[in-house]
Amino acid sequence: MSKIKIKSSDIITFLVIFILVTSIFGLYINRQDTVKTNTIEPSFFYNDIAFYENSAGNYVVYLQTQGDPFPVEFNLDPRTMSDIYVEKNIKSKIRNATKIYSTYNPNTDKATPARMVGSIIELGRMVPFVTVNRVSPALAYTEDDTPIDLDIPIKTCSDATLEIPVILFEIGEENKIYSEDFCVHVVGISGDELMRSADAMSYSLVGVY
C-alpha cells in the first residue's frame, strides 16, 4: 500500500484557510454584536480611539465604513507595542496593489513555523480593509523549501513593484516595520515578537498608530 505524502505547503494552506474562515466567522459574530457593544463604555482609549475588550480577551475597534461602523478584532493590546518602530504611511506601499505577496524563508530555524505563518495570517486579515482592490495577500517563500515545493512561488524584495508589492516577514535584531521601495519588512527578534510586529503593522494600517 502506498503512503500518502503531505507537503508542507498543504499544511500551511490548510492553516491559512482554517484561520481565515474562523476569523471571518468571528468578524460576523462581532458585527451582530455591534449595537450591544456600543451601548457600553469602552474598555480604554488609545490615541483617542475607543477599544473594547471582549470575553475572549481580544481587543475590538470599530472601523468607519460607508455604512455602520465595522468591528475588527486584534489579539494584542496596542498599549504594549510602543517599543515597536512602525514607518509612517506604511499603508501607502500596498494601498494600490492588484496583488500582494507575503513571503518568508521556510528554512529559518529562528522562529517556529506556527508563529511565522500566524504572523502572516494576522496581518493578512487587515490588508483587504485598506487596499483599493480589497487584496488578500498570497503566500510565497524567499527561497526553495526542502524538498522543493512547486506550489509556492519564490518572491523577494527584488520582485516588489507598485502594483505587486511584497511583505517580507523575517527574524532580526529589532522589532520594526519599514519599507524599501515597495517591499515592506515586518521584523521580530523571535517568533513571538514577530507576532507583535505583525499586530503593530495591523494597527498602523487601520489608523491606530
Side-chain angles (χ1 to χ4, degrees):
M1 180 181 294
S2 61
K3 294 183 179 179
I4 298 175
K5 295 183 179 180
I6 300 177
K7 296 182 293 185
S8 61
S9 63
D10 295 330
I11 298 174
I12 292 173
T13 300
F14 173 78
L15 286 172
V16 170
I17 293 173
F18 175 78
I19 296 177
L20 284 176
V21 168
T22 53
S23 296
I24 291 170
F25 177 75
L27 289 175
Y28 173 79
I29 295 299
N30 279 335
R31 188 158 193 165
Q32 303 309 304
D33 293 339
T34 299
V35 175
K36 180 179 177 181
T37 303
N38 283 341
T39 61
I40 63 175
E41 290 295 319
S43 301
F44 61 89
F45 284 85
Y46 185 82
N47 286 346
D48 297 324
I49 297 174
F51 279 80
Y52 300 84
E53 188 171 1
N54 62 21
S55 59
N58 296 320
Y59 302 89
V60 179
V61 296
Y62 286 83
L63 301 183
Q64 188 62 50
T65 62
Q66 294 180 348
D68 295 328
F70 189 85
V72 178
E73 186 177 291
F74 295 88
N75 290 323
L76 303 178
D77 189 333
R79 297 170 296 185
T80 67
M81 299 181 189
S82 59
D83 61 310
I84 300 175
Y85 169 76
V86 181
E87 180 182 310
K88 291 183 178 179
N89 299 319
I90 199 74
K91 180 170 63 176
S92 66
K93 302 296 182 176
I94 63 172
R95 181 165 175 74
N96 295 307
T98 57
K99 187 166 189 175
I100 298 172
Y101 285 102
S102 288
T103 189
Y104 74 102
N105 182 352
N107 301 306
T108 183
D109 58 359
K110 295 181 180 180
T112 63
R115 289 294 189 228
M116 185 69 76
V117 175
S119 301
I120 291 171
I121 291 171
E122 280 304 306
L123 180 56
R125 290 192 306 123
M126 297 299 113
V127 172
F129 291 118
V130 300
T131 49
V132 173
N133 298 301
R134 300 288 186 255
V135 178
S136 293
L139 184 66
Y141 291 155
T142 58
E143 62 181 46
D144 282 323
D145 196 2
T146 305
I148 294 175
D149 190 338
L150 298 178
D151 295 328
I152 304 294
I154 303 300
K155 297 293 178 180
T156 66
C157 285
S158 62
D159 298 304
T161 65
L162 171 65
E163 292 188 348
I164 309 179
V166 169
I167 304 175
L168 173 62
F169 292 77
E170 56 189 327
I171 302 300
E173 298 181 353
E174 181 183 356
N175 298 331
K176 59 182 178 179
I177 295 94
Y178 69 99
S179 67
E180 293 178 314
D181 295 324
F182 292 99
C183 181
V184 176
H185 295 256
V186 181
V187 188
I189 61 175
S190 67
D192 287 336
E193 292 299 296
L194 186 63
M195 292 285 289
R196 292 182 65 232
S197 292
D199 249 27
M201 180 170 170
S202 294
Y203 277 128
S204 176
L205 291 179
V206 300
V208 174
Y209 288 138

